[in-house]
Amino acid sequence: MKKNRVVITGFGLITPIGNDVDTFWSNLVAGKSGVGPITQFDASDYPVRIAAEVKDFDPTKYLSRREARRMDRFTQFAVSAAKLAVEHAKLDMGKVDAERVGVYIGSGIGGLSTLEAQHKVLLQRGPRRVSPFFIPMMIANMASGQVSIHIGAKGPNSSSITACATGTHSIGDAFRILQYGDADVMLAGGAEATILPLAFAGFSTMGALSNRNEEPEKASRPFDRDRDGFVMGEGAGVLVLETLDHALQRGATIYGEIAGYGMTADAHHLTSPDPTGMGPARSMINAIRDAGLEPTDIDYINAHGTSTPLNEKYETIAIKRAFGDHAYQLAISSNKSMIGHLLGAAGGVEAIATVLTLKNQIIPPTINYENPDPDCDLDYVPNEARQARVRTAISNSLGFGGHNATILLRAYEEV
């Protein structure tokens, strides 16, 4: 069976460093940090008091006030990013077959703010005062559900929930749907909004977060020797994916192509990555093979790069396993050094950053790289963006539970 080629024709995002593509990209290339003191709740009693918050977000730019009130913040992000993506792609839903347009947007945690708020209502005011919208606001699949409602997409509709690998799994699964002809267009990505008391209490007691409260802009430092944990972020990233034939037929602008997808499991530990790096290595190898390429064809890796002591050490091992000597020829960087860790939204936003890298031939830096780690001895594009020839790139996402996902993106070329 001949598989469809799948191209990227638009994208939209809500992030800690910009809520439109141009602002996001210019700040990413400039190495601007989106990390600062938490403003969304009083964190004075918490051991961690910093986060990468979305700024200047007004859901009523994209939704009516009534609609916005009936959505959790993560869903507001998803719908907003999706509408921006449809606009960017110049996708006129009145001129395409809505039954061939699908949505695959995931969230690692879902509507935690709604759960927190309604639990207080239950305890303080009793069960009859819990909102009838509690469940549909909280459940993680509502990102996809609400996007389909708001843009009128009647095709395949699903939602991945694989922790920090969510966004990349969603894009990869949507890629498969298009490859096999079950849709013509898919909106895919992730959304997350967990800058909340309960989330910070949980991640803090795990010891997963950086506690550089006095210098927040330097807290996220992937691959640096003195990294001490990730910085919580929030936002959404949604891409418009189309079969090549459909994109050409409607005269769409093509920004890049998804050519491969890999996914594996560590089968090792609830939260710690496998020290051998075999799971992520196999994921990368599978994506490269799926695209019919060789490891030496890859120019750049958008790393998972969380700024935790274990991730970077073992992700570096995984890259060496997957690429051998070519690992030392690769450019590698982590967007999380600037935007923090967006959990289930990370893969969507980082996929967009990778497409923009291919389009602009500029590799965003890994900022806050000050002290080399002997366990991390590859080229992490430290501190300053780099102009480079990038034709083929991969983006990694590695989630709690041992979930590994890799997508392979390349510059679009007519064949």
Side-chain angles (χ1 to χ4, degrees):
M1 175 183 174
K2 183 181 178 181
K3 298 177 185 176
N4 292 315
R5 289 176 68 184
V6 177
V7 295
I8 300 151
T9 59
F11 30 85
L13 38 69
I14 305 293
T15 80
I17 60 170
N19 301 332
D20 63 84
V21 171
D22 290 342
T23 303
F24 167 77
W25 179 246
S26 64
N27 285 333
L28 198 69
V29 170
K32 181 177 180 180
S33 173
V35 182
I38 293 171
T39 65
Q40 294 183 34
F41 68 93
D42 181 0
S44 56
D45 291 335
Y46 286 71
V48 176
R49 299 184 293 278
I50 57 173
E53 297 179 327
V54 167
K55 291 90 173 170
D56 303 318
F57 175 70
D58 179 2
T60 61
K61 287 178 62 177
Y62 314 98
L63 300 158
S64 71
R65 293 188 182 278
R66 183 182 185 188
E67 289 169 337
R69 284 197 306 269
R70 294 179 176 181
M71 290 184 193
D72 189 271
R73 184 171 169 89
F74 90 99
T75 307
Q76 293 175 355
F77 287 162
V79 174
S80 302
K83 287 187 172 183
L84 288 168
V86 168
E87 180 182 358
H88 187 235
K90 296 181 173 60
L91 182 67
D92 185 343
M93 290 297 294
K95 295 181 179 179
V96 297
D97 183 354
E99 295 181 4
R100 301 281 298 169
V101 179
V103 183
Y104 209 124
I105 299 172
S107 179
I109 295 177
L112 190 59
S113 66
T114 298
L115 178 61
E116 274 194 356
Q118 293 303 310
H119 186 243
K120 287 181 182 178
V121 171
L122 174 66
L123 295 180
Q124 296 172 3
R125 302 172 65 187
R128 294 183 182 274
R129 302 306 297 269
V130 170
S131 170
F133 295 101
F134 164 48
I135 298 300
M137 287 174 67
M138 180 195 70
I139 51 180
N141 68 295
M142 274 300 157
S144 278
Q146 287 278 24
V147 168
S148 71
I149 291 167
H150 279 267
I151 70 166
K154 299 179 180 179
N157 190 285
S158 192
S159 180
S160 175
I161 305 171
T162 50
C164 311
T166 293
T168 301
H169 274 140
S170 297
I171 294 167
D173 291 349
F175 165 66
R176 288 279 187 256
I177 288 169
L178 292 166
Q179 271 193 314
Y180 289 102
D182 293 327
D184 298 324
V185 182
M186 293 291 295
L187 274 70
E192 204 78 86
T194 52
I195 300 177
L196 300 158
L198 186 58
F200 268 78
F203 278 109
S204 294
T205 56
M206 284 177 61
L209 300 177
S210 172
N211 59 9
R212 288 177 180 261
N213 296 310
E214 305 311 315
E215 45 181 4
E217 292 183 353
K218 292 187 175 183
S220 186
R221 46 199 314 114
F223 301 102
D224 183 85
R225 181 193 65 200
D226 298 330
R227 62 194 184 274
D228 69 329
F230 74 82
V231 174
M232 183 89 76
E234 62 176 352
V238 176
L239 296 87
V240 177
L241 311 181
E242 298 186 52
T243 63
L244 176 58
D245 288 346
H246 189 271
L248 292 175
Q249 184 177 14
R250 73 177 188 89
T253 299
I254 296 174
Y255 296 97
E257 180 173 4
I258 299 183
Y261 175 40
M263 56 190 297
T264 64
D266 282 352
H268 172 69
H269 188 269
L270 285 175
T271 57
S272 295
D274 181 354
T276 70
M278 283 303 299
R282 289 186 295 110
S283 184
M284 288 184 271
I285 291 167
N286 289 347
I288 294 166
R289 286 176 177 167
D290 188 42
L293 300 176
E294 297 294 331
T296 51
D297 294 319
I298 306 303
D299 301 309
Y300 167 64
I301 297 176
N302 190 323
H304 187 54
T306 56
S307 187
T308 55
L310 294 183
N311 177 84
E312 275 80 329
K313 178 179 179 179
Y314 299 146
E315 191 173 6
T316 296
I317 290 171
I319 291 168
K320 292 176 181 178
R321 283 188 177 276
F323 290 93
D325 291 342
H326 185 60
Y328 293 91
Q329 310 302 316
L330 287 164
I332 303 161
S333 69
S334 172
N335 302 153
K336 293 182 181 71
S337 61
M338 290 163 280
I339 63 174
H341 192 351
L342 275 59
L343 306 183
V349 172
E350 290 163 17
I352 293 169
T354 306
V355 175
L356 291 168
T357 296
L358 293 166
K359 177 178 179 288
N360 297 307
Q361 298 289 281
I362 299 174
I363 300 172
T366 303
I367 67 167
N368 299 320
Y369 187 87
E370 298 173 342
N371 305 295
D373 182 345
D375 290 327
C376 302
D377 59 348
L378 302 177
D379 176 8
Y380 305 110
V381 192
N383 301 316
E384 293 186 4
R386 179 186 302 168
Q387 282 199 303
R389 183 180 185 275
V390 183
R391 304 299 297 167
T392 307
I394 61 174
S395 182
N396 284 333
S397 294
L398 319 175
F400 282 176
H403 301 285
N404 306 305
T406 303
I407 53 173
L408 187 149
L409 302 103
R410 63 187 177 196
Y412 169 66
E413 295 179 356
E414 295 182 31
V415 176

